[in-house]
Amino acid sequence: MRTSTVEAREATRTVSGARAVVRVLEEAGAEWIFGHPGGASLPLYDALYDAPKLRHVLCRHEQVAAHAATGYARASGRFGVCTATSGPGATNLVTGLADAMMDSAAVLAITGQVVRANIGTDAFQEADVTSITTPITKHNALVIEPHGLVRTLREAIYLCQSGRPGPVLVDVPRDVFQTQIPADLLDEPFEPRRRPVTKGNATRIAQAADAISRSRRPVLYVGGGAQDASVPLGRLARRCRIPVMVTLMGKGAFDETDPLCLGMLGMHGTAYANYAINAADLVIAVGARFDDRVTGRLKDFCPHARFIHIDIDPSEIGKNKPAHVPIVGDAREVLEALEPLARPPETEAWWRQIEEWRTRHPLRWKPGPLLKPQEAIEAIYRVTRGEAVVVTDVGQHQMWAAQYYKCRRPRTFISSAGLGAMGFGFPAAMGAQFARPDTLVVAIVGDGGFQMTLQDLITAVEWKLPLKVYVVNNTSLGMVRQWQELFYQERYCAVHLRNPDFARVAEAFGAVGIRVERSDELEPALLRSLEVTDRPVVVDLVVDPEENCYPMIPSGQSVKEMILGD
């Protein structure tokens, strides 16, 4: 009966604003929308009732919805959608949107707003969400004119995916959702007002090729903007024998099992990657933004190097470090043009030096009577054969995962890098599992961050997601404890956690729960978790609570002050 009503209205050539939103999302290829309903967004949910192609995932908290949309976007390369009602629903999206902004995730947020007549009156559940989210979104809009709804939404979908991806928010008053608008608006073609520059300047590309050919100590510094440029990136690195180092966001853009790869650089990167980039005479930065976790004290970063900086966002070039050869453009297009032009430089002596660093300062950990977190990550890598999509939370486990789980393909490592949002890992893994239902998705989380969003275990159970959640449980906020140990004279304050039994919590939600306390229990438990295919599994890995994450360049210092932890 409801579908007939919708068809009858469209036959009269009008459609409700809410129905128009659904139609635009379906036409854009959206399949999932993560959200939580409320009064201002109820017209949208009424329209979703008649939209079998656009399936809604009822998250128990809007922050989860935003992180799930991010996980979906980053795992799939498409855009993720989240929705919330007005006021507290919309403000609960804020952390997820800030995270998506920092890590360039294509997220569309649709929020309900109080009716237009009540805007500015402090109405029930009113919040000025466009003002609140202006600094943390790529673009946002409050739809006051119902006839502008379709174009605003199409522009939002275009903007969140074009150029440097990012979150875009569209705030829709309840009465705009309910207004009947001409259905012809859905037939109007959409042309974006501006298109980003994707093809790099030919002169600059020639200059970059010449700089590579003349260099003797080149390195490739690969960030998240290179995730879709892995093929030409690999060709350039292998043909010119240039060592490659990746950021936390860049993991997967280059095969980390390749001998050319030096792993992650920066605060908790490998010592040999940090030594190499700081001795380099040429840094080729691809889709990277010279984050302070990578550079440390900026004036001491790469003191002998010239910089080629490739980025689609012109505002990033020269922001933190001046570029000698700036190239604005899409990383894939620029590298495809650059690779044939670059003549392989003479790097034999450079590689001898790098191999000496790699032999002298490998990643290492010491076995002990208690289960070691590095041991657990290595076992996860081993049993999953390095083939999983790995999603992490934030903290020590995040850095251990980056160090010991080697990624071979793009979009297989998802983490909250720029914002460092605890609570990100589990919901983003849910979104990744929706995006890639036939792929093994693993969430590696800490006991602190997991407790921030674990209520949505029930969502994963409802949808029978075969998600593996590995809790690296050191009964503390481990990275904070490490900093208090190293820099605050072991004055531990507010870092020790009294945790629930995570395995029993999982069972209470309807998931499978497993607890591991000894090394000999580790691999059998992980293999058992992989056998479960009809619901989530939570494996509580009880690890040494005093293990620290090394190497470490203390915040604001340089590679000269790197703590190796030997």
PDB file of all heavy atoms in Angstrom, residues 117-143:
ATOM      1  N   ALA A 117      10.583  27.328  10.953  1.00  0.00           N
ATOM      2  CA  ALA A 117      10.012  28.408  11.773  1.00  0.00           C
ATOM      3  C   ALA A 117      10.632  28.439  13.171  1.00  0.00           C
ATOM      4  O   ALA A 117      10.603  29.482  13.842  1.00  0.00           O
ATOM      5  CB  ALA A 117       8.499  28.226  11.873  1.00  0.00           C
ATOM      6  N   ASN A 118      11.199  27.315  13.619  1.00  0.00           N
ATOM      7  CA  ASN A 118      11.751  27.259  14.975  1.00  0.00           C
ATOM      8  C   ASN A 118      13.269  27.449  15.020  1.00  0.00           C
ATOM      9  O   ASN A 118      13.851  27.490  16.108  1.00  0.00           O
ATOM     10  CB  ASN A 118      11.418  25.911  15.621  1.00  0.00           C
ATOM     11  CG  ASN A 118       9.971  25.820  16.047  1.00  0.00           C
ATOM     12  OD1 ASN A 118       9.263  26.839  16.057  1.00  0.00           O
ATOM     13  ND2 ASN A 118       9.516  24.628  16.388  1.00  0.00           N
ATOM     14  N   ILE A 119      13.908  27.561  13.878  1.00  0.00           N
ATOM     15  CA  ILE A 119      15.368  27.726  13.881  1.00  0.00           C
ATOM     16  C   ILE A 119      15.726  29.064  14.530  1.00  0.00           C
ATOM     17  O   ILE A 119      15.173  30.108  14.187  1.00  0.00           O
ATOM     18  CB  ILE A 119      15.917  27.651  12.438  1.00  0.00           C
ATOM     19  CG1 ILE A 119      15.791  26.211  11.911  1.00  0.00           C
ATOM     20  CG2 ILE A 119      17.384  28.088  12.402  1.00  0.00           C
ATOM     21  CD1 ILE A 119      16.222  26.033  10.470  1.00  0.00           C
ATOM     22  N   GLY A 120      16.623  29.014  15.479  1.00  0.00           N
ATOM     23  CA  GLY A 120      17.056  30.219  16.191  1.00  0.00           C
ATOM     24  C   GLY A 120      16.234  30.548  17.415  1.00  0.00           C
ATOM     25  O   GLY A 120      16.459  31.582  18.047  1.00  0.00           O
ATOM     26  N   THR A 121      15.306  29.659  17.777  1.00  0.00           N
ATOM     27  CA  THR A 121      14.445  29.936  18.939  1.00  0.00           C
ATOM     28  C   THR A 121      14.801  29.082  20.148  1.00  0.00           C
ATOM     29  O   THR A 121      14.058  29.060  21.131  1.00  0.00           O
ATOM     30  CB  THR A 121      12.968  29.679  18.582  1.00  0.00           C
ATOM     31  OG1 THR A 121      12.786  28.281  18.343  1.00  0.00           O
ATOM     32  CG2 THR A 121      12.543  30.478  17.360  1.00  0.00           C
ATOM     33  N   ASP A 122      15.925  28.334  20.070  1.00  0.00           N
ATOM     34  CA  ASP A 122      16.277  27.365  21.121  1.00  0.00           C
ATOM     35  C   ASP A 122      15.176  26.321  21.270  1.00  0.00           C
ATOM     36  O   ASP A 122      14.776  25.946  22.387  1.00  0.00           O
ATOM     37  CB  ASP A 122      16.532  28.064  22.464  1.00  0.00           C
ATOM     38  CG  ASP A 122      17.784  28.912  22.436  1.00  0.00           C
ATOM     39  OD1 ASP A 122      18.675  28.603  21.613  1.00  0.00           O
ATOM     40  OD2 ASP A 122      17.874  29.879  23.217  1.00  0.00           O
ATOM     41  N   ALA A 123      14.662  25.880  20.156  1.00  0.00           N
ATOM     42  CA  ALA A 123      13.613  24.871  20.166  1.00  0.00           C
ATOM     43  C   ALA A 123      14.156  23.548  20.710  1.00  0.00           C
ATOM     44  O   ALA A 123      15.371  23.324  20.787  1.00  0.00           O
ATOM     45  CB  ALA A 123      13.081  24.681  18.742  1.00  0.00           C
ATOM     46  N   PHE A 124      13.238  22.672  21.050  1.00  0.00           N
ATOM     47  CA  PHE A 124      13.632  21.363  21.578  1.00  0.00           C
ATOM     48  C   PHE A 124      14.540  20.636  20.585  1.00  0.00           C
ATOM     49  O   PHE A 124      14.218  20.528  19.396  1.00  0.00           O
ATOM     50  CB  PHE A 124      12.381  20.521  21.840  1.00  0.00           C
ATOM     51  CG  PHE A 124      12.680  19.108  22.299  1.00  0.00           C
ATOM     52  CD1 PHE A 124      13.272  18.877  23.528  1.00  0.00           C
ATOM     53  CD2 PHE A 124      12.389  18.030  21.475  1.00  0.00           C
ATOM     54  CE1 PHE A 124      13.551  17.586  23.945  1.00  0.00           C
ATOM     55  CE2 PHE A 124      12.667  16.736  21.884  1.00  0.00           C
ATOM     56  CZ  PHE A 124      13.249  16.505  23.118  1.00  0.00           C
ATOM     57  N   GLN A 125      15.667  20.174  21.052  1.00  0.00           N
ATOM     58  CA  GLN A 125      16.670  19.454  20.264  1.00  0.00           C
ATOM     59  C   GLN A 125      17.155  20.263  19.068  1.00  0.00           C
ATOM     60  O   GLN A 125      17.443  19.725  18.003  1.00  0.00           O
ATOM     61  CB  GLN A 125      16.149  18.078  19.822  1.00  0.00           C
ATOM     62  CG  GLN A 125      16.007  17.098  20.985  1.00  0.00           C
ATOM     63  CD  GLN A 125      15.832  15.655  20.559  1.00  0.00           C
ATOM     64  OE1 GLN A 125      15.306  15.385  19.479  1.00  0.00           O
ATOM     65  NE2 GLN A 125      16.247  14.723  21.407  1.00  0.00           N
ATOM     66  N   GLU A 126      17.304  21.565  19.257  1.00  0.00           N
ATOM     67  CA  GLU A 126      17.896  22.391  18.210  1.00  0.00           C
ATOM     68  C   GLU A 126      19.376  22.586  18.497  1.00  0.00           C
ATOM     69  O   GLU A 126      19.781  22.818  19.646  1.00  0.00           O
ATOM     70  CB  GLU A 126      17.223  23.761  18.135  1.00  0.00           C
ATOM     71  CG  GLU A 126      17.807  24.624  17.003  1.00  0.00           C
ATOM     72  CD  GLU A 126      17.340  26.076  17.041  1.00  0.00           C
ATOM     73  OE1 GLU A 126      16.592  26.429  17.962  1.00  0.00           O
ATOM     74  OE2 GLU A 126      17.748  26.843  16.144  1.00  0.00           O
ATOM     75  N   ALA A 127      20.208  22.475  17.497  1.00  0.00           N
ATOM     76  CA  ALA A 127      21.631  22.826  17.592  1.00  0.00           C
ATOM     77  C   ALA A 127      22.058  23.350  16.233  1.00  0.00           C
ATOM     78  O   ALA A 127      21.626  22.839  15.198  1.00  0.00           O
ATOM     79  CB  ALA A 127      22.477  21.620  17.986  1.00  0.00           C
ATOM     80  N   ASP A 128      22.887  24.364  16.251  1.00  0.00           N
ATOM     81  CA  ASP A 128      23.376  24.972  15.004  1.00  0.00           C
ATOM     82  C   ASP A 128      24.507  24.092  14.471  1.00  0.00           C
ATOM     83  O   ASP A 128      25.689  24.417  14.590  1.00  0.00           O
ATOM     84  CB  ASP A 128      23.848  26.391  15.294  1.00  0.00           C
ATOM     85  CG  ASP A 128      24.299  27.120  14.031  1.00  0.00           C
ATOM     86  OD1 ASP A 128      24.277  26.491  12.946  1.00  0.00           O
ATOM     87  OD2 ASP A 128      24.682  28.293  14.147  1.00  0.00           O
ATOM     88  N   VAL A 129      24.136  22.990  13.859  1.00  0.00           N
ATOM     89  CA  VAL A 129      25.148  21.983  13.502  1.00  0.00           C
ATOM     90  C   VAL A 129      26.023  22.442  12.343  1.00  0.00           C
ATOM     91  O   VAL A 129      27.181  22.026  12.246  1.00  0.00           O
ATOM     92  CB  VAL A 129      24.463  20.629  13.200  1.00  0.00           C
ATOM     93  CG1 VAL A 129      23.665  20.688  11.914  1.00  0.00           C
ATOM     94  CG2 VAL A 129      25.490  19.519  13.139  1.00  0.00           C
ATOM     95  N   THR A 130      25.530  23.311  11.485  1.00  0.00           N
ATOM     96  CA  THR A 130      26.415  23.777  10.406  1.00  0.00           C
ATOM     97  C   THR A 130      27.539  24.657  10.971  1.00  0.00           C
ATOM     98  O   THR A 130      28.683  24.560  10.530  1.00  0.00           O
ATOM     99  CB  THR A 130      25.623  24.537   9.323  1.00  0.00           C
ATOM    100  OG1 THR A 130      24.808  25.525   9.943  1.00  0.00           O
ATOM    101  CG2 THR A 130      24.758  23.584   8.522  1.00  0.00           C
ATOM    102  N   SER A 131      27.208  25.506  11.955  1.00  0.00           N
ATOM    103  CA  SER A 131      28.282  26.299  12.576  1.00  0.00           C
ATOM    104  C   SER A 131      29.239  25.400  13.353  1.00  0.00           C
ATOM    105  O   SER A 131      30.460  25.579  13.314  1.00  0.00           O
ATOM    106  CB  SER A 131      27.690  27.355  13.518  1.00  0.00           C
ATOM    107  OG  SER A 131      26.946  28.306  12.799  1.00  0.00           O
ATOM    108  N   ILE A 132      28.671  24.421  14.060  1.00  0.00           N
ATOM    109  CA  ILE A 132      29.509  23.529  14.865  1.00  0.00           C
ATOM    110  C   ILE A 132      30.479  22.740  13.994  1.00  0.00           C
ATOM    111  O   ILE A 132      31.638  22.521  14.363  1.00  0.00           O
ATOM    112  CB  ILE A 132      28.606  22.566  15.670  1.00  0.00           C
ATOM    113  CG1 ILE A 132      27.846  23.337  16.762  1.00  0.00           C
ATOM    114  CG2 ILE A 132      29.423  21.430  16.290  1.00  0.00           C
ATOM    115  CD1 ILE A 132      26.735  22.512  17.413  1.00  0.00           C
ATOM    116  N   THR A 133      30.028  22.323  12.826  1.00  0.00           N
ATOM    117  CA  THR A 133      30.861  21.437  12.006  1.00  0.00           C
ATOM    118  C   THR A 133      31.636  22.166  10.906  1.00  0.00           C
ATOM    119  O   THR A 133      32.368  21.516  10.156  1.00  0.00           O
ATOM    120  CB  THR A 133      29.996  20.338  11.347  1.00  0.00           C
ATOM    121  OG1 THR A 133      28.995  20.952  10.515  1.00  0.00           O
ATOM    122  CG2 THR A 133      29.331  19.471  12.386  1.00  0.00           C
ATOM    123  N   THR A 134      31.505  23.480  10.821  1.00  0.00           N
ATOM    124  CA  THR A 134      32.235  24.192   9.764  1.00  0.00           C
ATOM    125  C   THR A 134      33.746  23.902   9.778  1.00  0.00           C
ATOM    126  O   THR A 134      34.332  23.635   8.728  1.00  0.00           O
ATOM    127  CB  THR A 134      31.971  25.708   9.864  1.00  0.00           C
ATOM    128  OG1 THR A 134      30.594  25.946   9.541  1.00  0.00           O
ATOM    129  CG2 THR A 134      32.848  26.501   8.898  1.00  0.00           C
ATOM    130  N   PRO A 135      34.406  23.898  10.944  1.00  0.00           N
ATOM    131  CA  PRO A 135      35.862  23.659  10.894  1.00  0.00           C
ATOM    132  C   PRO A 135      36.232  22.200  10.646  1.00  0.00           C
ATOM    133  O   PRO A 135      37.401  21.910  10.397  1.00  0.00           O
ATOM    134  CB  PRO A 135      36.330  24.087  12.301  1.00  0.00           C
ATOM    135  CG  PRO A 135      35.173  24.714  12.962  1.00  0.00           C
ATOM    136  CD  PRO A 135      33.948  24.195  12.295  1.00  0.00           C
ATOM    137  N   ILE A 136      35.285  21.290  10.742  1.00  0.00           N
ATOM    138  CA  ILE A 136      35.642  19.864  10.665  1.00  0.00           C
ATOM    139  C   ILE A 136      34.964  19.162   9.495  1.00  0.00           C
ATOM    140  O   ILE A 136      34.882  17.939   9.465  1.00  0.00           O
ATOM    141  CB  ILE A 136      35.296  19.122  11.979  1.00  0.00           C
ATOM    142  CG1 ILE A 136      33.814  19.281  12.331  1.00  0.00           C
ATOM    143  CG2 ILE A 136      36.190  19.598  13.111  1.00  0.00           C
ATOM    144  CD1 ILE A 136      33.338  18.326  13.390  1.00  0.00           C
ATOM    145  N   THR A 137      34.463  19.939   8.548  1.00  0.00           N
ATOM    146  CA  THR A 137      33.907  19.342   7.332  1.00  0.00           C
ATOM    147  C   THR A 137      34.504  20.047   6.119  1.00  0.00           C
ATOM    148  O   THR A 137      34.940  21.198   6.193  1.00  0.00           O
ATOM    149  CB  THR A 137      32.372  19.472   7.269  1.00  0.00           C
ATOM    150  OG1 THR A 137      31.998  20.838   7.454  1.00  0.00           O
ATOM    151  CG2 THR A 137      31.707  18.604   8.315  1.00  0.00           C
ATOM    152  N   LYS A 138      34.498  19.336   5.016  1.00  0.00           N
ATOM    153  CA  LYS A 138      34.974  19.932   3.763  1.00  0.00           C
ATOM    154  C   LYS A 138      33.970  20.972   3.270  1.00  0.00           C
ATOM    155  O   LYS A 138      34.340  21.974   2.666  1.00  0.00           O
ATOM    156  CB  LYS A 138      35.135  18.803   2.739  1.00  0.00           C
ATOM    157  CG  LYS A 138      35.788  19.186   1.443  1.00  0.00           C
ATOM    158  CD  LYS A 138      35.981  17.949   0.578  1.00  0.00           C
ATOM    159  CE  LYS A 138      36.540  18.333  -0.800  1.00  0.00           C
ATOM    160  NZ  LYS A 138      36.631  17.132  -1.674  1.00  0.00           N
ATOM    161  N   HIS A 139      32.700  20.715   3.549  1.00  0.00           N
ATOM    162  CA  HIS A 139      31.632  21.629   3.154  1.00  0.00           C
ATOM    163  C   HIS A 139      30.395  21.245   3.964  1.00  0.00           C
ATOM    164  O   HIS A 139      30.237  20.068   4.336  1.00  0.00           O
ATOM    165  CB  HIS A 139      31.339  21.483   1.655  1.00  0.00           C
ATOM    166  CG  HIS A 139      30.188  22.312   1.167  1.00  0.00           C
ATOM    167  ND1 HIS A 139      30.244  23.684   1.064  1.00  0.00           N
ATOM    168  CD2 HIS A 139      28.938  21.957   0.744  1.00  0.00           C
ATOM    169  CE1 HIS A 139      29.099  24.142   0.609  1.00  0.00           C
ATOM    170  NE2 HIS A 139      28.279  23.121   0.398  1.00  0.00           N
ATOM    171  N   ASN A 140      29.541  22.201   4.252  1.00  0.00           N
ATOM    172  CA  ASN A 140      28.253  21.855   4.862  1.00  0.00           C
ATOM    173  C   ASN A 140      27.193  22.843   4.409  1.00  0.00           C
ATOM    174  O   ASN A 140      27.511  23.906   3.867  1.00  0.00           O
ATOM    175  CB  ASN A 140      28.341  21.752   6.391  1.00  0.00           C
ATOM    176  CG  ASN A 140      28.651  23.079   7.062  1.00  0.00           C
ATOM    177  OD1 ASN A 140      28.489  24.139   6.480  1.00  0.00           O
ATOM    178  ND2 ASN A 140      29.123  23.017   8.302  1.00  0.00           N
ATOM    179  N   ALA A 141      25.948  22.456   4.591  1.00  0.00           N
ATOM    180  CA  ALA A 141      24.863  23.318   4.112  1.00  0.00           C
ATOM    181  C   ALA A 141      23.599  23.052   4.914  1.00  0.00           C
ATOM    182  O   ALA A 141      23.285  21.895   5.240  1.00  0.00           O
ATOM    183  CB  ALA A 141      24.596  23.050   2.626  1.00  0.00           C
ATOM    184  N   LEU A 142      22.873  24.112   5.227  1.00  0.00           N
ATOM    185  CA  LEU A 142      21.543  24.025   5.805  1.00  0.00           C
ATOM    186  C   LEU A 142      20.550  24.298   4.678  1.00  0.00           C
ATOM    187  O   LEU A 142      20.613  25.355   4.025  1.00  0.00           O
ATOM    188  CB  LEU A 142      21.389  25.063   6.928  1.00  0.00           C
ATOM    189  CG  LEU A 142      19.970  25.309   7.448  1.00  0.00           C
ATOM    190  CD1 LEU A 142      19.413  24.037   8.098  1.00  0.00           C
ATOM    191  CD2 LEU A 142      19.965  26.470   8.450  1.00  0.00           C
ATOM    192  N   VAL A 143      19.653  23.362   4.431  1.00  0.00           N
ATOM    193  CA  VAL A 143      18.723  23.495   3.308  1.00  0.00           C
ATOM    194  C   VAL A 143      17.476  24.250   3.789  1.00  0.00           C
ATOM    195  O   VAL A 143      16.646  23.699   4.509  1.00  0.00           O
ATOM    196  CB  VAL A 143      18.321  22.121   2.745  1.00  0.00           C
ATOM    197  CG1 VAL A 143      17.382  22.297   1.554  1.00  0.00           C
ATOM    198  CG2 VAL A 143      19.552  21.330   2.331  1.00  0.00           C
TER     199      VAL A 143
END
